[in-house]
């Protein structure tokens, strides 16, 4: 997007958000990568992996939620001041269709940024033979932790 | 519990629920095991694993949610008729404290069983030096899929 | 919208949805009216009323939720077959700003229609001096009840 | 309860919580009253009123949610310091059975108190001919607003 909806407080938000993402071993283990990063908007991607499936061969709802939650966290983080920490307060996921695809995309955008609390939405899409279909949604609340003095 | 709150419809609910749990590669990958199984009640356990942590060394919220969601699914499944399938419709997680511990316990119990929809609650506890502390809660809706004719 | 995203199963969906809305005394009591109705999309409106405020003079979060939930229910109902009943399974509300305004608009749209379950999103806006601001969001699951045989 | 689970920070928590409850016109309009108040625990009661019903004569889900949310808010408020304000951040409601009864009871208890955020659970019961049945549950996050300096 050429005209971001939000003005980042941290001019180095890209480096800060990328570094926070990269320091999460869970993301590496799940094979999730950062595909797009704008102020208040993030896309993550994840390949299909049999190791993370449930009893029908679809990716487990908890793993899809891990991707959705992380996309929300990084999207919220892009709008926070430098040296702020972040934690997830809560989220709600609706599972709309089986997580069946070659890969998965998690698209998050900030709905309401705040000094303490930020609310984000994200959608998970399954990509199969180049076709995207919506499989899950999340709404989450993220909390900014001020730098330790 | 010697007097279960719910009467299972499937006399072989233990074998059915155990089999459904065991056929999930994601549970094996996450190291999650079935620790207790009663009608409408399930405990799962998971050891700490650095591979599933976030940037502060705590277990990722999405991984904790995978355990909570699975505990709810198996708890709901114990009350469903034989040959029924199950899927998660939605869940809501509140993260109360960092997932910091030697191991984690996920305790689910059915709140309201139903022919089509079953509502479950679960709590996640971190266990450290033998002390349990509540770290997250979930409420989820599970759907029974009738056997294919 | 000239090109609706969804095809209604009931050709008389407008009459059916309007009738269901009108038969709710709670909507009359709260002063909520139907402002727009399309397949899978509904706008409701509500004037500010001191009788439904909390301790700071803003409309109570539960009242805003009643409007959001109802908008979701009617939006889902527009896509259901004739003679179907509807009930709300669950919803999640995020309150983003105080409900301070001359009137309020609740805009719902179906995210995923289904034979049994339909998932809807809605947003609540406060309108003050002609300016709209987002004050709350909801995601809800609605269930279709087949006609009694 | 003779031994409260939580220690209130405000010795006048009863007067403060009662006053906050009483200053909500919405509670008066809905006929909701404070039935029990302990540190971190609150019961509210509401009579059946046709004015707040939906199309089948049951109390509207949004009205039940208003009672649940308020019970959570007052329960959280009992544990906050003097002169603190409170607002609801978010909540999730599961509707388990129709709100059919002579009166309704909303029972809230704090799950996790915090300096900024407090998480509460509440249950709604319908009372009919002296028999209570669970009709809805909520989990909510409440935020403490420090006194203005």
């Amino acid at each position: 997007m050429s005209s971001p909806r939000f003005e980042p407080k941290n001019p180095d938000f890209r480096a800060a958000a990328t570094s926070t993402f990269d320091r999460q071993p869970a993301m590496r283990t799940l094979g999730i990568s950062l595909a797009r990063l704008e102020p208040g908007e993030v896309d993550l991607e994840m390949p299909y992996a049999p190791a993370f499936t449930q009893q029908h061969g679809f990716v487990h709802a908890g793993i899809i939620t891990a991707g959705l939650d992380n996309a929300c966290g990084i999207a919220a983080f892009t709008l926070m001041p430098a040296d702020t920490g972040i934690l997830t307060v809560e989220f709600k996921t609706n599972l709309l269709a089986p997580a069946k695809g070659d890969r998965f995309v998690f698209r998050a955008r900030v709905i309401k940024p705040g000094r303490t609390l930020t609310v984000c939405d994200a959608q998970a899409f399954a990509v199969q033979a180049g076709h995207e279909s919506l499989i899950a949604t999340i709404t989450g609340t993220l909390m900014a932790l001020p730098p330790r003095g």
Side-chain angles (χ1 to χ4, degrees), chain A residues 43 67 76 79 90 96 103 109 122 134 140 146:
Chain A
D43 291 3
L79 301 182
E90 58 85 29
L96 307 176
R103 59 190 183 88
R109 69 193 175 101
L134 180 65

Side-chain angles (χ1 to χ4, degrees), chain A residues 20-22 24-33 44 66-67 70-71:
Chain A
T20 290
F21 180 83
D22 287 347
Q24 296 183 89
M27 292 298 103
R28 270 199 305 281
T29 306
L30 298 174
I32 298 178
S33 60
L44 302 181
N70 225 276

Side-chain angles (χ1 to χ4, degrees), chain A residues 104-119:
Chain A
F104 301 90
V105 183
F106 308 103
R107 295 207 175 97
R109 69 193 175 101
V110 170
I111 297 300
K112 169 85 179 185
R115 203 170 52 89
T116 304
L117 298 180
T118 291
V119 178

Side-chain angles (χ1 to χ4, degrees), chain A residues 61-62 64-66 68-69 91-96 135-139:
Chain A
I64 294 297
T65 302
L68 286 166
D69 167 45
F91 52 73
K92 158 72 151 65
T93 303
N94 277 70
L95 301 155
L96 307 176
I135 57 167
T137 62
I138 201 171
T139 302

Side-chain angles (χ1 to χ4, degrees), chain A residues 49-129:
Chain A
F52 294 109
T53 55
Q54 33 85 299
Q55 69 273 22
H56 302 299
F58 308 132
V59 175
H60 193 278
I63 302 302
I64 294 297
T65 302
L68 286 166
D69 167 45
N70 225 276
C72 283
I74 301 296
F77 193 73
T78 61
L79 301 182
M80 292 181 181
D83 297 322
T84 305
I86 182 166
L87 56 81
T88 302
V89 169
E90 58 85 29
F91 52 73
K92 158 72 151 65
T93 303
N94 277 70
L95 301 155
L96 307 176
K100 185 183 184 175
D102 307 321
R103 59 190 183 88
F104 301 90
V105 183
F106 308 103
R107 295 207 175 97
R109 69 193 175 101
V110 170
I111 297 300
K112 169 85 179 185
R115 203 170 52 89
T116 304
L117 298 180
T118 291
V119 178
C120 264
D121 269 2
Q123 298 180 302
F125 297 88
V127 187
Q128 200 157 25

